[in-house]
Amino acid sequence: MRKDVRILLVGEPKVGKTSLIMSLVSEEFPDDVPLRAEEITIPADVTPERVPTHIVDYSEAEQSDEQLYQEISKANVICIVYSVNNKKSIEKVTSHWIPLINDRTDKDSRVPLILVGNKSDLVEHSSMETILPIMNQYSDIETCVECSAKNLKNISELFYYAQKAVLHPTGPLYCPEEKEMKPSCIKALTRIFKVSDLDNDGILNDNELNFFQRTCFNTPLAPQALEDVKNVVRKNVTDGVKNNGLTLKGFLFLHTLFIQRGRHETTWTVLRRFGYGDDLELQQEYLFPLLKIPVDCTTELSHNTYLFLQSVFDKHDKDRDCALSPEEVKDLFKVFPYMPWGPDVNNTVCTNDQGWITYQGYLSQWTLTTYLDVQRCLEYLGYLGYSIICEQESQAAAITVTRNKRIDLQKKQTQRSVFRCNILGARGSGKTSFLQAFLGRNLQKQRKIREDHKSFYSINTTYVYGQEKYLLLHEVMPDMDFLSEADLACDVVCLVYDVNNPRSFEYCAKIYKQYFMDSKTPCMVIASKSDLHEARQHYSLTPLDFCRKHKLHPPQPWTCNTVDAPGKELYTKLTTMAMYPHAKLRCMCSCNWCTFCICQNILRSQLLRTIKAKFYRVILNRCSYTCFWLPFFLFLLHVFTFC
């Protein structure tokens, strides 16, 4: 709502503009009336709408045309005053004042007009018969008030209506010629209905109506009042009430009725509570609340936000198959002004055999959006009505800003749930396949993906020591000359080369030496397409020797040319490296992430203070190779745990 209201009074000389203002302020008719009253400010606490109001007078004798034009441009509402006993002043309303005001205001944002018939104490008849045709002719005219400055008749009502015309304008809501709401108003109220329909059955039941009433007006409806409302709808609209609940048709009828009966402040209260401005568009302050994100911090969804998104998923998963069909996705995004997810989303997250986004994929996409573009996530949550349904001040409450990564390194632990892995490698090395394999797709399924539907991201969950984490993979396009800060800003780096291409590893080696050799970002080398013949790489060192020289984990053989879904072991290792970069989880022998090296690195990283007894079983279950040192290191684990 506006912070203040500026009311301008214009009209012919001697119609009583100044008298009206002075009668309002002093609550008595003035004996001496000056040519023009000074600008008056009425404090918020004495106005019905609790908004400061500035009342400005105009005098032809004291002010120039240029000053009048300036006042018109600054006014929020203009009262055209005429004298009910002076026909010439009434004629001037249409012949002079309305054309003058329209010429000085923008056509798309016309100032609301109030016609004020003063000196009603001097006549016995009403001027409404003359004024009504004028009101019907000009849609800018909000209302007409007959009053008397001398008898103080309708003085406070006049300024209340003027205030109301600014704060709760009829123009954006209703078309008087058609006697129905405007399309933009119907569109906004339809979104509000869908957001309030918590079970998505097309009906607002008593619980949903009470929640809506409490949300918008801070008070629930009494049971009898609720029945009275539904009875009014039943009498006037077919199918307005169904299964003892209010349908969209009935909901729209109620608001049409409010507007027709002059209670459009009720509709405006609802619209503003759901984020709409005077132009019936969602306001920027609603969609993009202030959220400060310090440097080296990331953004994640809070636990309560995941619960909210889960309820949204359940609301639209009508067939209860734990996946969203294209029709269900379209239904979910009906409250959006555009479709936010393109076909690439289906290749970014997990889908079922039909290519529909699963529940896990749905949450993963929200997690990805929050991490990469938190402002867009706030916008999306605004469309879904997060702050209303969860009764929060704004969408900012949905976001958790993680602490600085440097603090995580110092404390050697993290509370983060999302970790980013940038995938680098020469063209054709298998980076895209590595992303898609993370979503459980083998080479055969990947070949069915259209080129224009491919994604440079994939995100899925992994489990590290029994904790569910999100790993976000980003394929960085190969460019030897330049890597941006975004390409380097990640938690772990994956260098992919094609074992069958003798020139593939050279790119990985140069990238590592140029950008990551002296950084604290952990790196892993992936020997892609390991099902093919391994060619000798045209580089001074073999990949294994290169990794040994730079104390990296040995190249990890990987392929997605499998019958079943590719395994997730490598992705779990990448997530572990991202979670514990300080631990330097590098293999000391040529084994494949053996128990020996896990135990040794855990001892070295001083993580024992946070390790529980059940961790022993995790180590034994996850290792792929056991060496004779195992009993010795398990003994050391036991000793250090209880020290």
Side-chain angles (χ1 to χ4, degrees), residues 23 72 105 138 286 317 353 364 384 397 459-460 532 606 628:
S23 293
I72 289 173
T105 54
Y138 296 96
Y286 170 79
D317 181 21
D353 293 336
S364 296
L384 290 174
I459 183 170
N460 202 354
L532 301 178
Q606 298 179 354
F628 71 95

Side-chain angles (χ1 to χ4, degrees), residues 1-7 24 39-56 74 76-77 159-160 162-164 166-167:
M1 195 180 288
R2 288 182 180 273
K3 294 181 180 179
D4 59 0
V5 174
R6 189 174 182 87
I7 303 172
L24 173 73
E39 181 178 324
I40 292 169
T41 299
I42 301 175
D45 54 355
V46 297
T47 63
E49 297 292 343
R50 301 291 175 182
V51 176
T53 302
H54 311 282
I55 302 175
V56 181
K74 291 190 290 184
N76 302 128
V77 57
F159 292 100
Y160 167 70
Q163 211 180 41
K164 190 175 174 182
V166 177
L167 302 177

